[in-house]
Amino acid sequence: MTKTTERASIFKKIMGQYPTGVTIVTTMDENKNPVGLTVNSFASVSIDPLMVLWCIDKRSSALNAFLQGGKYAVHTLAVDQAEACWAFAGKEKDRFSKVQWETSSNGLPIIKDSLGIFECKTVNKIDAGDHFILLGEVIDLFVNEKEPLLYYNRNVAGIPADWPNQ
Ligand SMILES: Cc1cc2nc3c(=O)[nH]c(=O)nc-3n(C[C@H](O)[C@H](O)[C@H](O)COP(=O)(O)O)c2cc1C
C-alpha cells in the first residue's frame, strides 16, 4: 500500500471503531420526489440558534437535491428502524416504499416513528474534500419516547443490556 492508501485505511479503521447513532437525512428533489440517505456524520452545533451539521459524499445520487433544495430533515433512528437504516444506505431506487412517510408543512419528507426529527434550512454549504458539510438551522423539531439505534464496526444494534442504568 502507498502511504496515502495506508493512512486512509487507518483513518477508516479508527472511524469504524468510533460508535455513533444513525440518522436518515431527507429532502425533496426538484420534481417533488423524496430523496434520502443513511448518515452517521451528523452532529449538533449550536443551541442559540439551534444548528446541526452533516456531511454528504460528492458522489451521492442525491447531492444536487441537497445542495439546491435549501432544506432537509434529519431523522435520528430508533432501535426498531434497522431495516430503514440499510434500505437508505444501499443502491435501492425505491427507498421510501420501505418506510411510512408523509410530507411536512415545510415540504419535507418525514419518516414516521423516528426517534427524533430536525427540520432544517441550509445556512451554509462547505466544500470539504470529497464531501460537502451541510450546516442547517433547525426550524421544527419532534421527539418520540423510543430507544436509539447505535452503529459500530459496520453493524447496528440497540443499547447493550448491561449499559448502566442510573
Ligand atoms: C451507518 C452509515 C452511515 C453513513 N453515513 C454517511 C454520511 O455521513 N454521509 C454520506 O454521504 N454517506 C453516508 N453513508 C453512505 C450512504 O448512506 C450511501 O452511500 C448512500 O445511501 C448510497 O446511495 P446514493 O449514492 O444514492 O446516495 C452511510 C452509510 C451507513 C451504512
Side-chain angles (χ1 to χ4, degrees):
M1 271 199 280
T2 67
K3 192 115 182 105
T4 312
T5 48
E6 200 180 321
R7 280 160 57 88
S9 151
I10 296 168
F11 182 97
K12 286 181 193 172
K13 186 168 182 190
I14 293 170
M15 293 314 295
Q17 290 172 340
Y18 180 66
T20 65
V22 201
T23 73
I24 293 175
V25 187
T26 62
T27 193
M28 289 291 187
D29 71 12
E30 57 186 359
N31 302 314
K32 300 264 184 290
N33 292 316
V35 296
L37 69 160
T38 298
V39 161
N40 73 339
S41 55
F42 170 72
S44 69
V45 175
S46 163
I47 295 291
D48 185 17
L50 295 175
M51 292 173 94
V52 298
L53 67 74
W54 63 288
C55 307
I56 185 166
D57 194 316
K58 289 180 176 172
R59 294 166 303 181
S60 170
S61 62
L63 180 67
N64 284 342
F66 281 105
L67 290 183
Q68 286 157 20
K71 51 193 174 176
Y72 58 78
V74 181
H75 307 75
T76 58
L77 297 190
V79 66
D80 60 359
Q81 292 181 296
E83 204 182 322
C85 164
W86 297 124
F88 279 75
K91 286 290 161 202
E92 174 144 5
K93 282 260 178 291
D94 195 12
R95 299 172 180 191
F96 283 83
S97 68
K98 305 279 184 222
V99 294
Q100 299 275 318
W101 68 279
E102 61 193 7
T103 305
S104 73
S105 56
N106 297 307
L108 287 166
I110 299 300
I111 298 171
K112 292 184 184 177
D113 294 324
S114 297
L115 174 53
I117 299 164
F118 296 110
E119 291 188 69
C120 304
K121 73 168 184 214
T122 308
V123 291
N124 208 341
K125 301 173 242 188
I126 301 148
D127 193 329
D130 51 18
H131 282 62
F132 278 99
I133 302 168
L134 295 186
L135 187 65
E137 186 167 335
V138 177
I139 49 178
D140 263 317
L141 68 175
F142 308 91
V143 68
N144 280 310
E145 291 305 317
K146 294 177 89 173
E147 295 274 308
L149 186 67
L150 310 180
Y151 181 71
Y152 169 68
N153 217 5
R154 300 187 180 193
N155 283 308
V156 291
I159 295 173
D162 63 352
W163 186 263
N165 268 325
Q166 323 254 9

